[in-house]
Structures are given as structure tokens and as C-alpha cells.
Amino acid sequence: MADKKENDELAKGSAGAKAQDNAGESENIELKKKLAEAKAALKSADEEKAKLECDLDQEKKAREEAEAENRKLDDHVAKLEGSELERQKAEEKVKIFIAEGEGAEGRDDVFVGAQGISYQIKRGVEVKVPMSVYNILNDSAYTAYEESGDGEDIEYVARAVPRYNIRVVE
């Protein structure tokens, strides 16, 4: 009887050990699956990283090329502006006086751009400017609309009004 009891206990222990082995094996399989998934995710991340690094290198190269092209264009523009500035310096000058206008804006300096060269002209002061600048100022106008007619036949007629009150001093 003792042998039977021992055999039963050994059988139970053996079955328990087999159950533990099966559980351990199942856990081992799950861990291997997770490890394989993690390795696949790592490989995918590495591939994405390599792609992004390649894209970044291409962007850097494109930016460097664009900056080099911009420097060339800046140099070219500087040459053109330099030659235009020289042309305007050699151009006939005219002494003008721009009177102040109405309101706060009428006291502001007048900005004129001629072929890429900028001028800031103070109002109320006699200044010499190239003839091309004077022509730009003289041609500057805004459109004013005046009513014409009466009753239901009112029309608005456009009229060009000089923007600046300019007087040639010499």
C-alpha cells in the first residue's frame, strides 16, 4: 500500500512537473514570439532611420546648392545695382523741394525707388536728385473720384491728382 501511495505521489509529481514544463515551454514560446516581434520592429526602425538620414543628407545638399545659387545671384544683383547706382550718380541732377502735405502722413519722408536704388527724401528741404527720381515723383498720382450729374444720373468721374507738391528750385 505504501508503494501504491508513493507511486500515486510520484505520478502526481510527474504530472505536475509535466504541467510546469508545458507552462514553461508555452511561456518560452511566447517570449520567443515577442523577441521576434521586437527584432522586426527594431529592423523596421533602423530602416526608417536610414531613410530619414538619407533624406536629411539630400535636404542639406539641396540647401547648400540653393545657398550657393543665392550667393551668385546676390553678387550679380550687386553688380547690376552698382552699375545702376553709377549711372544715376552720373545722371543730370535737379534740385527739388517737396512741400509738406495734410495730416501726419504729409510730414513723412518720401520714399522713391528707381531701378533698384532707394531714396528717402525729406519734405520741406531742398535736395538734389537724379532726373529719373524727379520724373518718378512728378508722375506719381492717385485717383480721385468726383460726382458728376444730379438726381439718379450721378456718375463718378476719375481724375488723376499729383501725389506730391513738388517744386523745381533750379
Side-chain angles (χ1 to χ4, degrees):
M1 184 125 171
D3 285 339
K4 187 175 181 191
K5 204 176 190 182
E6 281 180 24
N7 284 339
D8 286 345
E9 283 182 23
L10 282 175
K12 283 183 186 177
S14 176
K18 283 184 182 179
Q20 280 183 342
D21 284 347
N22 286 341
E25 210 174 288
S26 177
E27 193 175 302
N28 195 14
I29 291 171
E30 282 299 314
L31 289 174
K32 285 181 180 181
K33 283 182 184 176
K34 287 183 180 180
L35 180 61
E37 289 172 359
K39 284 181 179 180
L42 182 60
K43 181 180 178 184
S44 176
D46 286 342
E47 289 170 355
E48 182 67 20
K49 178 183 173 188
K51 182 183 178 294
L52 290 173
E53 287 173 343
C54 181
D55 290 348
L56 181 61
D57 289 342
Q58 288 175 347
E59 288 291 326
K60 284 180 181 178
K61 184 179 178 182
R63 184 179 329 119
E64 288 170 359
E65 289 172 358
E67 287 172 351
E69 185 66 24
N70 281 343
R71 283 190 294 277
K72 286 180 188 176
L73 291 173
D74 288 345
D75 291 345
H76 183 67
V77 167
K79 287 178 186 175
L80 291 176
E81 285 178 346
S83 62
E84 178 60 24
L85 182 60
E86 293 303 316
R87 187 196 67 73
Q88 288 183 24
K89 282 182 180 179
E91 188 178 354
E92 177 187 349
K93 303 287 188 279
V94 60
K95 188 181 264 189
I96 62 169
F97 178 88
I98 302 176
E100 290 184 358
E102 296 179 8
E105 191 176 289
R107 291 186 294 276
D108 290 344
D109 294 347
V110 176
F111 173 83
V112 180
Q115 298 295 327
I117 309 300
S118 301
Y119 296 87
Q120 186 172 348
I121 303 170
K122 194 161 209 53
R123 292 178 190 249
V125 177
E126 293 180 3
V127 292
K128 280 189 173 184
V129 295
M131 186 58 82
S132 58
V133 172
Y134 168 71
N135 290 333
I136 291 170
L137 288 167
N138 202 37
D139 293 342
S140 297
Y142 64 93
T143 304
Y145 294 91
E146 296 176 347
E147 286 186 12
S148 174
D150 57 0
E152 292 181 14
D153 295 331
I154 295 177
E155 290 184 19
Y156 291 93
V157 178
R159 180 174 66 90
V161 178
R163 184 166 298 279
Y164 305 107
N165 183 359
I166 303 169
R167 184 182 57 184
V168 175
V169 178
E170 286 181 354

